[in-house]
Structures are given as structure tokens and as C-alpha cells.
Amino acid sequence: MSSRVCRTCGGSDIDVDQARGSAVCTSCGSVLEDNIIVSEVQFVEGSGGVSSAVGQFVSADGPVKAPLLGSGFHTSVGKESRAQTLQGGKRQIQQLGSQLQLNQHCLDTAFNFFKMVVSKHLTRGRKTEHVIAACLYLVCRTEGTPHMLLDLSDLLQVNVYILGKTFLLLARELCINAPAIDPCLYIPRFAHMLEFGVKTHEVSMTALRLVQRMKRDWMHTGRRPSGLCGAALLVAARMHKFRRTVKDVISVVKVCQTTLRKRLTEFEDTPTSQLTIDEFMKVDLEQECDPPSFIAAQHKAKMQQLEQELARKLDDVEGEISCYKDEIETELEKSRPKLRGIYAAYAKEIDPEEAEVLSSTSDPEEQEVEDDELQAATQHLTQDFLCQVIQEEEGRGKKTDDNEVEAGPDMEGAGSQRQAAPLAAILGKLPSAASLGLQQTLDESETGEKPDDEQSEGGELDLDGIDDQEIDKYILNEKEVQVKTELWMKQNADYLKEQKEKEERIKKEKEQGTYKEKPKKSKKKKEQIQASTAGEAIERMLEKKKISSKINYDVLRDLNRGGTGSGGGSSPSRASSDPPNTNTTARKRLNRRRRKKANDTNRDLAANASIMGKSQSLQLPSSSPVEPASSCGSRWVVVCLDQLG
Amino acid sequence: MDSSNDEALDIIITNVVATFRTRCHLNLRTIALEGTNVIYKPEVGKVLMKLRKPKITASIWSSGKIICTGATSEDDAKLGARRLARVLQKLGFKVRFSAFKVVNVLAVCSMPFAIHLIDFTKNNRPIASYEPELHPAATYRIKHLKATIQVFSTGSITVTGPNVQNVATAVEQVYPLLFEVQKPLKKKEKS
């Protein structure tokens, strides 16, 4: 209470009585205020002695003005745009959220996000559907529900990356940090969908352990969580003796077969895959692996290096091979039975070539022989070299023994040793070379920027460093130009024809004086339906544009005919006298309606209203779903018919 | 420059995009008919001309604005742009070389260690974003440098920025963050 001073006596002791609404000075008794506005809840006694509070309930996101038209009115009359947007958004959220089986709390949170988004004007230029889907997904992420972005895109039939873009933008703008997706979240859901019956829980637990193991083995960074879940569930199912094929799993998990197989192979490469089922349940291996893509890249790099080495070595060694062809042949014969495993394939390959070599030794043409021998020898050396290098890396003792036996002749031994040694040297040198290279490039890039360009505003072309002769090569000479012109004209004949026609048309219109400068962005003008009666117009339009499959167009048409029938019967004179007027008004109204993109039902309503001779302009439902509108429409028709009869 | 490490990092610039203006109207049809290595796109309204020497693709509009892409360094881009302007000059247009500006530089760099993306995103919450369902890399945007860095779990990163200096600075800025969340190599060979 503001301590006021009494006007008459100057006393500050003022008594304010809320019930009477008056302020009185206690010292002198003068009334300072009468009829004070109070903001207290008042109660009123209703029928039956029930006392209720006086006032209307106004919701926070409702219209600003009190709804004067009363309740039960579907139409959003008198609401401002923002409220309409929010109401529409809320409805869509409810719809989508119920399809995802989200609880009310999540839906409310999603609606709050939506309100924030609208207040930050982020809905501009984006489809409301996308924005709503993004809000819902935001809620899913913050609450940790097992919904994927893929589910939402499935429901909306929208590309998942478009939704993802919207989602990322909203998350950034609203400063909401969605926690990272944990594949463990999806396991129970997928397990449920795979129908394991009673054992669902056990299978889920096993799959969870598998996923955790995968996480420690670095298989999950940068990958879609659903792929990992799919692989884990497949393995878990098999472990518990359920026969779930790859196809079942991929239909539930929504990844490609190739992806699933790849995950399985990657898991196979980890040491965990070597454990038995019981061991896996009990023991958790300590060691962790490198991520598979890292290993693949390293492997690729290694193979590339090997290939380079080989190419270099082959060049060196080619000359010496031709001298030692006999010794090589004997070695090949010796090596054949000893090579095992995958190298057996190489041995088989060499056999036909060896046969060729042997047969071609008798061939008078020496070149062919030498080539074949070279090929055979190089092949042998290649696989030999490969054997050696790979074995050096893997350290298998057995094969090195074989190789040592094979490398009987000195040349071979020396060759392989030579090959081994330089490789190590070269591999050793590489990192330092890289570092040298880096320094150079960095220095260059720095110094390159220092001569800043003064000519940016001058516009003069600095010609130094440009070789004129080279430039001339870029320009065709006369003959070439002619040929090219012909080719181009032929190729683009259609386009040129179109251009010509357009120009002629414009010229003609200019002569006639009807040429209008069409603005570049012309709105798509739908062609006007020419019809003699409103009914016909509606029919034509309905035929043209089947907006919804849920409307029974025949019934609608019958409605209209029923309406005209009854209307015509009751007031024939009016109908007959006003055909031209009604038709034009109907058409005009139809056109206007079309531009506003109203439903068919609304047009029917408009036609009905015009035929009845009513000239009220109706405020029609703007974006209501079809069923209520049709029911509303039928209600309207009933009303009109009643008024007639 | 790289203060905290012994071996230096290889920053390889893969693409430089630059624009310039010729300050005169260009007839695209003439260019299309009289130039070698050109692709004319009349629906879009531009001509693509490819140069061999600095390997560059240029989009030429009739207003005289030209975008050069595909160069491997800023100097290369400038040289290529000047070459292109010379070609146009020889074709008969009154070309002036003005407003040359490097708009975008794309570089790749490879760290000698693997990176734990989830920890990286957690440490740098609003600046870094990682959405495994959409893209396998985490995106880190440095606002004041206007640079975007995409971090992959294998340790390779791609950096895009308005010029080479920014790109180098961005790599330096992000290196310590990546170093924190590195995943050291456990074993070189696989059994």
C-alpha cells in the first residue's frame, strides 16, 4: 500500500477497506477514495446453493480477446495469427506424437520447444511439418526415448537428412545440448520387435553386453547406432538359439544388408569374437582395439607402399633375372609343393606359365622366351617378396623356414635380403621426409600471401607470368569455330527454336499493343474453368482436382443437386430470374475461393449459399482436416434446407 | 608454429575457390563457340571453362562475374584467374581484372592418433556437434575465424575457411582439443 498523506490533516495513517472499496483517513475521518478497484476473487451463489467463482477461464495461449462467439465453434474467428500458428502446431504435435506413442509430458515439452521456435522466428521459410518433427525429435533425445530420426522421416515421408538439418539448426538456435545417442537405448525396442517371446529380456542383456564390448573396441564412433544394434542382436539371438536371419534383423533395424555384414566382420576381427559364449558372459577382455576404419586405412597405406617398393625393385632386378633363368626354374619346381594356404593360388597360377616357359624354351624366338621367363620370374619374386615382407610383419616362423630353403641360390638370398633391407630403410625414412615436406609447404603458403594485390581496384590485368602462346591454345581458330558452331546449333536446335518462337510472339504482341512486361517471377496461374452453371463449374473443377481421397465426391455432387432441386422448387422465380447473376457471382466467388485455396466442400457451400440467394460472406475453416469439414458442411446444408422448408 | 609436438602435421590444401569480376558484359555464346574446353549451360545461364595449367574450372556468367574452383593454392588461383581473363581478352571482350577475392579454402590434415568423438563433443558442447545418424564426423565451428572443422574418428580432419592463414590457425587451435581426447594406438599388428 502506498503510504499517502491525507489532504485535510496531513496524517499518513490511512485505512483501506477492500470490502467497501474505500480509503479513509483515521485521524480526521475524511474519505480519500471511494470505489477502489479491487482485484479479488468474488463468489456467486448459483442454483442449488452452489457457490462458484465469478469470471471466465482464459488459457495462456488462447486468443487475446475473449471469445465472444461462445464455445463449440470450430472456426477460429477473431484469433490473431500467432495464436492460430500455435494452435495448429499443437494439433500437429499431438497427432505425430500419438503415432510415436509419446506420453503427454513429452508432448507438452515439444509444444514448449515449438513456442520458443516460433518466438524466435525460426519457422519462416521452413515447412511446419519439418519444424514439428524436429521439435519432437529434440524431446526424444533429451528424454532418452528410443526413437530414431528415421522413424520420424518414415512417418512424414521426408528425407532424413532434411529433417536432420532442421533438427541441428533448432538445437543450435535454442542452445539445447542433446546428449549423444547411445546404441544401448535402442536394444530393448528392437528386441521387442524381433519377438523373442519369454527370453526377450535375456537376449536384450546379451546384446547390451555385446554393444558395450563394441564400444570399447571402437566400432561405434562415426557409425549409425542402429547398425551396431542390428549386429549385436543377431549375434545374441544366435547365442540363445533363435533362428533370426539377416533379413529379419534388417527389416526391424532399418540398415542395409551390406552394413550388417560389415559390422559382423569387424566384430569378428576383434579378439572378443574368439571367446566362447560362456566365456563371453563371464570374462571381459582388458585390451581394446583400434577403430576398424583406422586399421583399414593403415592396411591400405601399407599395401600402397609395398606396391611402390615392388615396382622399384622390379626395375632393378629385371636385368639380372634373365641371367639366372635356369636357377629360377628349378626353384619354382621346388617351391610348388611347399606353398600353403592362400599362396597355393599363386602357385597354381604359375603352373601354366611355367609350362609355357618350358615349352617356349624350344621356341626359336628368344624375345618371347625372355618375356615369359621374366613374367614367371617376376611373379615368383613378387610372391616371394610378398611372402617375406608379410611374414616379417606377422612373424610366422614356419614360412620363413620354407623361404630360406627356397632361397638356395645366392642371388635369390641376396636379392631377398636386399629387398628386405631397403624396405626397412625406406619405411624408416618416410616420417622425416613428411615432416620436411610439411615445413616447406607451410612456409610457401605463408610467403605466398605477403605480396598483396594492389590491382584489385585498378582493374588492369597484370600480364606477367602469363604465356601468350599457351593462351592462344585455348582459343579455337576460324575453321574450328565453324565446325563447333554447326555442332552446337544441331545439338541445341530445340532450345533455339523455342527462343525464336518466344521472340516472334513478343514482337507480335508488341505490334498489337497487348505486350505486357511480364515480371520474371510470374505466379502459376491456374486456368479458369469455363462453365455455364455453378453446378457444372463445380463438377469440372472436381474432376480436375481430386484433392483428397477421403471425400466421397459423388455424395458432394448429390448434395449440390439436392440443394438446387429444393431451392429451385421453393423459389423458382428467383432462380430463373437470376441465372446470369448467380452464375457470374458463383464463378467469381469460385475464382476467389480457388485463389484462397479452400476445400471442395467450401466451394460446395459457396455454391449452395449463392443458389439460396444468401449474400453473406462466410468465414470458412482454413486448415481443418477433412472429416470435420464435411460433417460441418453437412450441418450447414441441413441448416439451409431447414430454413427453406 | 606447432608448439606442443615434435613431428609436424601435414596440412594439405585440396581446393581454393576465388571470384573476380571483369567489369564488362560477356557474350556467353561467343565464349562457348570459340573456346576450347567449355561447357555451355544455357538453362542456368553460365559457361564452364576448364584450364589445364593450373587445374581450374571457372564458371563464367554473362554479367562478368567469374568463380574459379579447383586450385591448390591461393597463388595458383590468382594465376588461373588471370589466365582466364587473358583468354577472354583475346576473344575480344574489354576485360578488366578487378575484385579478385579468395572465398574458400579447403584443407585436409591427418592426426597420428585416433579421436574419441563423443568425448570431444562433450568437452566442446555448443561449438561442436556430432550426429552419428546423419554424418560420421563431428563438426566444430570457430566463429571468429569463420572456419569449419570436420573431425573423423580415424584422426583425419578437413578444414574449410576463408583463406589459408585462417585454416592454419584453425588447425592449431583445434589440435590441443583433439590431443586431449585422443585414443592411443594399442597395437600396430592385428592377430
Side-chain angles (χ1 to χ4, degrees), chain A residues 566-589:
Chain A
S566 58
S570 59
S571 50
S573 53
R574 217 196 292 167
S576 58
S577 63
D578 295 12
N581 289 352
T582 45
N583 287 337
T584 46
T585 47
R587 219 178 294 141
K588 272 193 213 155
R589 207 165 287 182

Side-chain angles (χ1 to χ4, degrees), chain A residues 214-499:
Chain A
M214 284 183 193
K215 273 201 219 173
R216 292 188 57 187
D217 285 335
W218 283 86
M219 272 175 64
H220 82 302
T221 342
R223 268 80 188 274
R224 284 234 179 114
S226 39
L228 289 172
C229 292
L233 273 171
L234 189 61
V235 175
R238 295 280 168 83
M239 278 165 76
H240 286 270
K241 300 186 181 57
F242 281 101
R243 256 186 294 126
R244 295 283 178 273
T245 62
V246 175
K247 272 195 190 151
D248 298 332
V249 175
I250 57 175
S251 64
V252 162
V253 162
K254 294 179 197 153
V255 286
C256 175
Q257 232 190 41
T258 331
T259 317
L260 202 58
R261 277 185 212 280
K262 205 167 171 208
R263 298 287 169 267
L264 288 171
T265 20
E266 283 169 7
F267 189 59
E268 197 187 339
D269 288 336
T270 66
T272 316
S273 63
Q274 308 298 327
L275 302 172
T276 66
I277 296 177
D278 295 325
E279 279 178 18
F280 173 70
M281 300 308 281
K282 291 176 200 155
V283 176
D284 202 15
L285 286 178
E286 278 308 309
Q287 54 185 194
E288 298 174 354
C289 303
D290 298 326
S293 41
F294 193 78
I295 296 163
Q298 278 192 330
H299 193 64
K300 222 194 274 181
K302 227 183 287 171
M303 292 310 292
Q304 273 183 353
Q305 277 173 8
L306 280 178
E307 277 174 33
Q308 281 175 2
E309 265 311 296
L310 268 173
R312 228 176 296 168
K313 288 303 154 195
L314 284 174
D315 292 331
D316 297 339
V317 166
E318 252 177 22
E320 301 181 26
I321 287 171
S322 52
C323 310
Y324 293 99
K325 61 174 171 138
D326 289 326
E327 291 182 276
I328 290 167
E329 278 174 1
T330 48
E331 275 317 301
L332 282 174
E333 283 186 279
K334 266 195 225 168
S335 69
R336 236 181 300 149
K338 289 186 185 158
L339 287 173
R340 296 189 204 114
I342 47 171
Y343 301 117
Y346 286 124
K348 281 183 207 148
E349 265 176 52
I350 285 191
D351 277 340
E353 287 221 75
E354 271 185 82
E356 264 180 55
V357 167
L358 290 169
S359 59
S360 58
T361 41
S362 49
D363 210 341
E365 291 184 331
E366 290 186 347
Q367 280 182 346
E368 274 189 20
V369 169
E370 279 195 4
D371 281 350
D372 289 333
E373 287 176 346
L374 267 172
Q375 275 180 14
T378 48
Q379 275 231 339
H380 178 61
L381 265 182
T382 313
Q383 49 153 336
D384 219 0
F385 182 60
L386 269 176
C387 285
Q388 274 235 315
V389 176
I390 292 170
Q391 283 148 30
E392 267 168 44
E393 307 243 329
E394 293 179 352
R396 277 186 206 153
K398 252 194 290 176
K399 295 232 169 154
T400 44
D401 285 338
D402 288 340
N403 258 357
E404 282 169 358
V405 171
E406 285 170 6
D410 295 328
M411 177 261 149
E412 290 267 352
S416 49
Q417 280 168 17
R418 229 189 319 124
Q419 286 159 8
L423 179 62
I426 285 167
L427 282 177
K429 243 192 272 171
L430 276 173
S432 51
S435 63
L436 277 175
L438 158 73
Q439 284 302 327
Q440 280 179 4
T441 51
L442 274 185
D443 288 333
E444 275 175 11
S445 62
E446 278 182 11
T447 52
E449 289 150 39
K450 283 195 192 132
D452 263 330
D453 287 309
E454 331 71 23
Q455 301 166 344
S456 49
E457 287 315 311
E460 287 304 312
L461 186 56
D462 185 11
L463 288 177
D464 62 64
I466 295 179
D467 188 9
D468 261 5
Q469 279 183 350
E470 202 196 320
I471 298 287
D472 280 335
K473 285 188 206 153
Y474 282 111
I475 304 179
L476 304 168
N477 59 21
E478 283 291 325
K479 227 181 167 187
E480 287 172 348
V481 172
Q482 277 177 14
V483 172
K484 190 163 181 186
T485 317
E486 260 189 63
L487 267 173
W488 195 87
M489 290 294 176
K490 265 191 224 167
Q491 214 179 13
N492 293 314
D494 299 330
Y495 177 73
L496 289 170
K497 225 193 281 176
E498 267 177 50
Q499 296 293 84

Side-chain angles (χ1 to χ4, degrees), chain B residues 123-142:
Chain B
N123 292 351
N124 308 292
R125 243 318 145 66
I127 318 175
S129 95
Y130 171 50
E131 210 47 49
E133 285 191 55
L134 296 173
H135 191 59
T139 320
Y140 185 87
R141 287 175 212 269
I142 306 180

Side-chain angles (χ1 to χ4, degrees), chain A residues 473-531:
Chain A
K473 285 188 206 153
Y474 282 111
I475 304 179
L476 304 168
N477 59 21
E478 283 291 325
K479 227 181 167 187
E480 287 172 348
V481 172
Q482 277 177 14
V483 172
K484 190 163 181 186
T485 317
E486 260 189 63
L487 267 173
W488 195 87
M489 290 294 176
K490 265 191 224 167
Q491 214 179 13
N492 293 314
D494 299 330
Y495 177 73
L496 289 170
K497 225 193 281 176
E498 267 177 50
Q499 296 293 84
K500 252 193 224 163
E501 282 172 11
K502 197 175 168 190
E503 277 180 27
E504 280 174 18
R505 204 174 5 112
I506 292 175
K507 235 193 269 173
K508 235 192 267 174
E509 282 180 1
K510 270 199 176 139
E511 285 169 20
Q512 286 179 3
T514 58
Y515 179 63
K516 284 176 239 166
E517 275 290 336
K518 288 195 184 121
K520 286 230 163 160
K521 283 195 176 180
S522 55
K523 296 188 187 144
K524 251 196 342 187
K525 277 220 160 177
K526 300 176 188 164
E527 58 166 26
Q528 311 284 338
I529 298 175
Q530 298 298 324

Side-chain angles (χ1 to χ4, degrees), chain A residues 494-623:
Chain A
D494 299 330
Y495 177 73
L496 289 170
K497 225 193 281 176
E498 267 177 50
Q499 296 293 84
K500 252 193 224 163
E501 282 172 11
K502 197 175 168 190
E503 277 180 27
E504 280 174 18
R505 204 174 5 112
I506 292 175
K507 235 193 269 173
K508 235 192 267 174
E509 282 180 1
K510 270 199 176 139
E511 285 169 20
Q512 286 179 3
T514 58
Y515 179 63
K516 284 176 239 166
E517 275 290 336
K518 288 195 184 121
K520 286 230 163 160
K521 283 195 176 180
S522 55
K523 296 188 187 144
K524 251 196 342 187
K525 277 220 160 177
K526 300 176 188 164
E527 58 166 26
Q528 311 284 338
I529 298 175
Q530 298 298 324
S532 47
T533 63
E536 232 185 278
I538 294 171
E539 272 183 31
R540 292 245 179 93
M541 188 270 320
L542 281 173
E543 274 166 54
K544 243 185 146 196
K545 203 174 171 188
K546 299 255 172 188
I547 292 182
S548 167
S549 56
K550 294 181 184 152
I551 306 179
N552 190 345
Y553 292 94
D554 302 323
V555 173
L556 275 181
R557 260 177 249 150
D558 289 337
L559 270 180
N560 187 29
R561 262 181 236 127
T564 35
S566 58
S570 59
S571 50
S573 53
R574 217 196 292 167
S576 58
S577 63
D578 295 12
N581 289 352
T582 45
N583 287 337
T584 46
T585 47
R587 219 178 294 141
K588 272 193 213 155
R589 207 165 287 182
L590 280 170
N591 296 343
R592 242 191 289 133
R593 288 281 182 266
R594 205 175 294 127
R595 253 180 260 138
K596 274 190 200 168
K597 288 186 191 167
N599 301 4
D600 303 335
T601 48
N602 302 337
R603 290 196 194 94
D604 283 342
L605 293 177
N608 281 339
S610 64
I611 286 163
M612 304 302 172
K614 295 198 193 331
S615 57
Q616 296 167 8
S617 62
L618 300 166
Q619 289 283 338
L620 297 158
S622 47
S623 61

Side-chain angles (χ1 to χ4, degrees), chain B:
Chain B
M1 278 247 284
D2 298 309
S3 41
S4 54
N5 48 345
D6 297 313
E7 2 107 8
L9 285 172
D10 237 340
I11 307 180
I12 304 164
I13 302 177
T14 52
N15 190 20
V16 176
V17 178
T19 61
F20 70 97
R21 298 163 66 182
T22 58
R23 293 210 171 269
C24 78
H25 191 270
L26 300 170
N27 186 346
L28 293 184
R29 202 181 277 198
T30 324
I31 302 176
L33 292 176
E34 294 182 18
T36 48
N37 307 327
V38 287
I39 305 171
Y40 185 21
K41 293 196 172 185
E43 324 83 47
V44 189
K46 67 179 180 188
V47 168
L48 291 173
M49 185 181 246
K50 303 201 190 207
L51 259 62
R52 272 193 219 106
K53 224 337 179 40
K55 196 134 185 286
I56 271 180
T57 306
S59 305
I60 306 171
W61 271 269
S62 57
S63 60
K65 293 202 180 159
I66 301 181
I67 299 184
C68 289
T69 58
T72 46
S73 75
E74 289 187 359
D75 286 336
D76 246 3
K78 180 125 201 209
L79 186 65
R82 285 194 289 134
R83 284 241 168 94
L84 193 67
R86 184 81 184 115
V87 175
L88 293 175
Q89 217 174 43
K90 288 216 157 170
L91 281 175
F93 300 105
K94 275 193 239 166
V95 158
R96 297 168 72 204
F97 188 75
S98 76
F100 175 83
K101 183 167 190 258
V102 167
V103 172
N104 191 24
V105 172
L106 169 71
V108 294
C109 184
S110 188
M111 306 282 151
F113 46 78
I115 301 173
H116 201 304
L117 285 183
I118 298 186
D119 284 350
F120 175 71
T121 329
K122 262 193 237 172
N123 292 351
N124 308 292
R125 243 318 145 66
I127 318 175
S129 95
Y130 171 50
E131 210 47 49
E133 285 191 55
L134 296 173
H135 191 59
T139 320
Y140 185 87
R141 287 175 212 269
I142 306 180
K143 245 189 174 169
H144 61 96
L145 287 175
K146 288 188 245 173
T148 307
I149 304 176
Q150 299 214 340
V151 182
F152 290 85
S153 63
T154 54
S156 358
I157 60 174
T158 82
V159 193
T160 63
N163 55 48
V164 178
Q165 185 57 44
N166 277 26
V167 162
T169 323
V171 174
E172 278 184 33
Q173 262 200 11
V174 89
Y175 183 84
L177 300 171
L178 297 175
F179 195 81
E180 282 174 12
V181 288
Q182 71 174 249
K183 198 210 160 305
L185 284 162
K186 280 290 170 171
K187 40 184 179 164
K188 287 235 165 187
E189 305 128 31
K190 289 213 55 77
S191 53

